[in-house]
Amino acid sequence: MKNSASPVDQQPFDFILFGGTGDLAMRKLLPALYFRHCEGQLAEGGRIIAVARRDYNNESFRELMETDARIHIPEADFDAAAWQEFLQRVFYLPIDVTTVEGYSDLGDMLAGREELARVFYLSVAPNLFSVICNGVDEAGLITEQSRVALEKPLGRDQETAEQINDQLAASFNEKQIFRIDHYLGKEAVQNLMALRFGNALFEPLWRNERISDVQITIAESLGAEGRGAFYDQTGALRDMVQNHLLQLLVILAMEPPVSIDPDAVRDEKIKVLRALKPLVGGDAIENTVRGQYKAGAYADGAVIGYRDNEDVPSESKTETFVAIRAEIASWRWEGVPFFLRTGKRMESKTTEIIVNFKKVPHSIFETADGFSTPNQLIIRLQPEESIRMRIYVKAWGDDIQLQPVHLNLDFNDVFKKRQMIAYERLCMDLIRGNQTLFMRRDEVAAAWAWIDPIRQAWEQHNVTPKPYTAGTWGPAAANALISREGFKWYEE
Ligand code: BG6
């Protein structure tokens, strides 16, 4: 996982951004490429070709970009001279992707550059994936150095994901297909691998003899505002659990891969997905909680409930919160519950992994809290990145009284530089053709294979989401789920 590129790493490229005027392009992709330009990582002559329907030309598109960039690139990171240079790489091509002419215009732009890395980034609705793949294929634009990148959602279930994958496979081979889960591009997620496989310290502890339970929380304070129509068809299980949450679980639980090569890592990841104990029928009902937020308030004001959104049906039964008790059937993890939860409009935006270690087998000390919370590794991924280890020490004083303290590692203090956004890493990996942080076809299928029965059980048993107040940690049932074994969600 080399993080800084020397000039020899630079690959000349054409980065063709379908959906070039869309929200993701403006908010994340173009700023990410700008930052990489500033770091000197984009090869000279490397071009970004934004493709969309709207009628801009290079100049008017660059103006549009500038307006948006000012919103999405923090002022302190905006260098006007570098920005002007960056804009010279950006071109705009107005085409209708459903017509043959569109691809012939694109072909004209790409002609003579067949040896370069060619990225087709599909930042478009999933129903256009196969249209665009066919289009570039039939126009003869797929070269050996081509890759295609797609964003989730990759289907609504295993069957529809397979259909999409079949369509992709008709034009591209698996080594050319880059399925994005932007969580894998986050520094903190890569740091999780570094923590586990770059330090011998944790490995002997990383197992059921030493760990009592694991908790993974991805909490958001945002609601579904503005994307209710999409979200209502999707729900938290498909939107967050099938991908981001399971990816965190897998990286936390996987066996050490033999190398950092894409398939070495992905071979280990998929073993964990396949070892997840299926939650089917009554097991799914017993080990999951569905929730939906109602109106509530944060320090800066009141917010509406999920069903009050304009583009959400007033009787919607879509979940905005999920909690799951999962287990992994393997020598390492047998008997260790993994508690997963994610939700919108929760108390704060927090992504955290908590590894709770077992208590000492026999205590010779007194503690103020009766060792109620044993040693704990707290890996915080968002909003800021930190790792903390909770241990017991003797409090100063004349009696022997133990007290928990935190060994604290704050990455902002350690590195003192701008933290890369996930898409910077992913865009560079796309240009360089490194698939380690992208999902392989079988991984996506295995994730859906575990998720589908949960959704089916909810449907069959008519499980409706339990209401929770916006600004809280979710429905009370999620506390009941974890407390029945004597555990407690870590909330700070
Ligand atoms: C996206 C989901 O994949 O991830 C969104 O579709 C969610 O609903 C987002 O808000 C969260 O990403 P992040 O990087 O802000 O944690």
Side-chain angles (χ1 to χ4, degrees), residues 27-28 151-153 181-183 186 218-220 222-224 227 230-231 234 238-240 243-244 344 349 351 382 422-423:
R27 224 162 22 91
K28 299 283 185 192
E151 287 283 335
K152 65 180 255 291
D181 181 318
H182 78 278
Y183 265 59
K186 290 183 192 271
I218 308 183
E220 294 184 85
L222 283 180
R227 58 200 283 264
F230 157 79
Y231 193 84
T234 309
R238 290 188 177 106
D239 188 43
M240 298 296 285
N243 35 74
H244 308 324
K344 299 236 176 257
K349 180 167 173 72
T351 303
Q382 298 187 120
Y423 282 99

Side-chain angles (χ1 to χ4, degrees), residues 3 13 82 144 149 161 165 180 224 232 242 274 316 353 449 467 469 472:
N3 216 352
F13 63 90
E144 212 169 297
N165 280 322
I180 293 180
D232 204 60
Q242 188 271 344
R274 289 187 179 143
S316 169
I353 298 174
T469 305
T472 66

Side-chain angles (χ1 to χ4, degrees), residues 1 3 181-197 199 206 216-218 244 247-249 251-252 350-353 377-387 409-412 415 418-423 425-426 437:
M1 289 201 290
N3 216 352
D181 181 318
H182 78 278
Y183 265 59
L184 294 178
K186 290 183 192 271
E187 290 276 30
V189 177
Q190 294 156 51
N191 241 324
L192 186 55
M193 279 201 254
L195 180 79
R196 289 201 53 206
F197 308 130
N199 299 285
W206 218 252
I216 308 180
T217 295
I218 308 183
H244 308 324
Q247 288 294 324
L248 294 185
L249 165 77
I251 291 175
L252 185 102
T350 311
T351 303
E352 246 164 12
I353 298 174
L377 186 66
I378 303 156
I379 306 167
R380 176 172 263 227
L381 294 88
Q382 298 187 120
E384 73 290 338
E385 200 185 335
S386 66
I387 297 179
L409 172 63
D410 180 336
F411 285 67
N412 283 326
F415 296 117
R418 186 185 66 83
Q419 189 178 19
M420 272 168 75
I421 55 175
Y423 282 99
R425 167 95 215 181
L426 298 176
L437 299 178

